[in-house]
Amino acid sequence: METGLLPEDADVVVIGSGAFGLSAAYHLTALGAGRVLVLDQFAPASQTSPRAAGLFKLVRADATLTALARLSVEIVTRFEQLTGVALPYVPSGSLLLARTAAHAAMIRAEAAQSRGWGVETAEITPALLHDVAPYLEGAGILAAIDVPGDIYIEEPATLLDAYQAAGERLGMTVIGDTTVSAIRMELGRVAGVVTPRGAVRTPVVIDAAGAWSPIVGALAGVTIPVAPVRHQLRITTPLGGVDPGHRIARIVDASVYLRPARGGLMVGGMEHNPLPLDPRDTGPRFTMADVPLDGGVLDRMTSDVRVQVPALIDAPIAETRGGLFTMTPDAHFLAGPVPGATGFWVATGCNGSGFSLSSGIGRVLAEWIVSGEPSIDCSTIAPERFTGPSADRAALVTAGIEQYANYYTPRPLSDNASGGRWAAHATHS
Ligand SMILES: Cc1cc2nc3c(=O)[nH]c(=O)nc-3n(C[C@H](O)[C@H](O)[C@H](O)COP(=O)(O)OP(=O)(O)OC[C@H]3O[C@@H](n4cnc5c(N)ncnc54)[C@H](O)[C@@H]3O)c2cc1C
């Protein structure tokens, strides 16, 4: 476990070594931000991020998120070439599948919109699904969109390891078992962080503390409007005939996703009655390993798609895992400078896509900090869009749960471009 000496000074301190924190830290270091220090209260990269499904998704109901998704896939697929650090990924492509007329209309409209934003998509006949994903049957499928550019990472920890290794080669420091317990402010500006192992002077802090990000925000006197909500998945034991290159599948009306995993199938999805769970209510020793798992929820999802994925019926389960999404009221990320505390930045509000978009978000955040401007317009994910009602925790949880439960609910596309509107369409992982 990493418990190196704490430096007295840093140019940037990143709080949290999950996907967001490590990506931002790597990109900052690569862009010449100086001494970048990542602190984590637990072992580095041990909380939500290594529990992700590892799915990347280019079709997003929003122009900014599409640009960030495209940038993220580009960074991951070129990572080894750019850094010399190996980062295995599977260029499987993916399928968006609909079993109701409303969902069929939704995915066709999303695919058309995404093509306009530079994402390759094509409708394929359900009879051909079996060819690209033999674990799938076309029965009951009304529309199928093929997205050849989508990828997945088999073991999510490898992305975190790659960010860390690439950053450390350039001089970035990651220290675990070090909780940031206070943030020093001087005349409204960040001046440093305090931990039980000592203090570090710094003019810039990034709150990348995941489900704990509101707690860290409060240390700087600001509100971080995210509601943590449980998400879980399972992986079967190896099943005959599943190849890693078979397509990812998202059956949108069932809110279920599937992919090849370790020779078997991974299945996960959005719960209809989501479970909010906030570390502010659970005490300081809470970790992601304490998130209660409910196999019944996953059984119902599996049963819902049994006609399309008969191999799941009675398949033995090798692993069930879960963690917390950080939901925002409009299902958009929360990344950028936080009003009210100069030098205090945030990267959270994952809404289920923080693993895959961490590369793009880390990059634009680093550009923003180093050069004063991100290369992609980030106004729809900037913290300054929230004021007033979002500070009300009960309303925030209600909005976050609604976004989670309606992840794949068809809504008028005109809602989607609204960015800051609370009723905006969710952007699924
Ligand atoms: C089961 C599951 C499947 C998912 N699948 C996908 C997927 O396929 N694709 C996708 O894009 N996303 C997916 N997600 C979402 C994704 O995992 C998250 O968006 C992402 O991991 C969030 O990263 P993070 O850095 O915010 O959080 P974390 O990985 O939790 O990192 C936050 C870190 O901050 C540290 N910290 C907190 N407070 C302090 C403090 N005071 N001092 C020091 N350190 C602190 C914590 O210890 C923690 O290590 C999934 C999530 C789950 C639960």
Side-chain angles (χ1 to χ4, degrees):
M1 196 163 293
E2 188 66 63
T3 52
L5 272 183
L6 208 57
E8 289 180 2
D9 295 277
D11 293 296
V12 183
V13 171
V14 179
I15 304 174
S17 65
F20 282 130
L22 288 173
S23 172
Y26 157 68
H27 283 105
L28 278 162
T29 310
L31 290 182
R35 296 154 303 165
V36 178
L37 172 66
V38 184
L39 298 176
D40 203 291
Q41 60 187 345
F42 302 125
S46 64
Q47 296 303 304
T48 306
S49 301
R51 292 170 164 80
L55 304 173
F56 288 62
K57 183 173 188 292
L58 290 165
V59 171
R60 304 264 159 191
D62 173 88
T64 301
L65 298 185
T66 304
L68 288 167
R70 292 182 67 199
L71 176 61
S72 296
V73 169
E74 186 191 320
I75 291 170
V76 166
T77 54
R78 294 184 57 220
F79 198 83
E80 183 162 357
Q81 186 190 339
L82 288 170
T83 66
V85 173
L87 175 54
Y89 63 91
V90 185
S92 62
S94 81
L95 297 162
L96 277 172
L97 306 172
R99 303 180 302 181
T100 73
H103 285 92
M106 182 187 89
I107 62 172
R108 285 181 178 128
E110 281 191 356
Q113 190 173 242
S114 293
R115 277 196 299 280
W117 292 327
V119 178
E120 185 185 349
T121 67
E123 181 153 2
I124 62 170
T125 139
L128 293 179
L129 291 179
H130 198 73
D131 295 347
V132 289
Y135 65 85
L136 278 176
E137 301 297 335
I141 301 292
L142 298 186
I145 304 292
D146 189 26
V147 189
D150 274 340
I151 63 171
Y152 72 85
I153 289 182
E154 175 73 278
E155 302 299 340
T158 55
L159 176 63
L160 310 171
D161 292 346
Y163 288 145
Q164 184 169 346
E168 285 177 342
R169 282 186 184 187
L170 300 173
M172 159 186 131
T173 305
V174 181
I175 300 181
D177 293 323
T178 306
T179 303
V180 173
S181 53
I183 294 176
R184 286 197 178 133
M185 304 292 296
E186 288 171 6
L187 301 173
R189 303 184 75 90
V190 166
V193 301
V194 179
T195 81
R197 301 175 56 221
V200 183
R201 283 186 295 273
T202 184
V204 179
V205 161
I206 301 179
D207 175 359
W212 297 265
S213 53
I215 298 174
V216 169
L219 299 179
V222 297
T223 299
I224 301 298
V226 297
V229 177
R230 177 180 69 186
H231 184 72
Q232 42 186 358
L233 59 80
R234 67 171 43 146
I235 299 173
T236 71
T237 57
L239 306 167
V242 179
D243 181 89
H246 294 156
R247 295 279 198 278
I248 299 160
R250 296 179 174 90
I251 305 181
V252 295
D253 54 280
S255 295
V256 165
Y257 57 77
L258 302 122
R259 74 158 168 90
R262 303 174 190 161
L265 285 173
M266 175 185 288
V267 57
M270 312 308 144
E271 305 185 25
H272 296 305
N273 295 304
L275 179 73
L277 186 60
D278 196 316
R280 282 175 286 189
D281 304 325
T282 55
R285 296 318 304 161
F286 170 82
T287 76
M288 284 304 144
D290 300 322
V291 172
L293 301 179
D294 183 348
V297 169
L298 292 163
D299 287 345
R300 284 190 288 281
M301 288 176 189
T302 301
S303 170
D304 190 6
V305 300
R306 64 190 178 282
V307 172
Q308 289 75 37
V309 200
L312 282 178
I313 302 169
D314 298 329
I317 308 305
E319 182 183 347
T320 301
R321 63 186 189 230
L324 298 174
F325 282 2
T326 45
M327 302 301 296
T328 57
D330 61 2
H332 285 238
F333 292 94
L334 203 59
V338 182
T342 306
F344 189 77
W345 297 66
V346 69
T348 187
C350 80
N351 292 283
S353 301
F355 178 80
S356 55
L357 266 72
S358 62
S359 301
I361 294 218
R363 164 77 69 82
V364 294
L365 207 62
E367 292 167 347
W368 209 342
I369 290 171
V370 171
S371 65
E373 205 176 352
S375 56
I376 291 173
D377 174 8
C378 289
S379 50
T380 57
I381 62 171
E384 66 185 9
R385 73 189 188 277
F386 289 117
T387 52
S390 59
D392 175 338
R393 197 167 148 198
L396 185 60
V397 171
T398 304
I401 286 177
E402 196 197 327
Q403 289 293 1
Y404 182 102
N406 292 299
Y407 225 52
Y408 295 107
T409 305
R411 298 188 193 184
L413 281 175
S414 56
D415 275 359
N416 299 338
S418 58
R421 287 174 52 180
W422 283 34
H425 192 293
T427 47
H428 28 90
S429 64

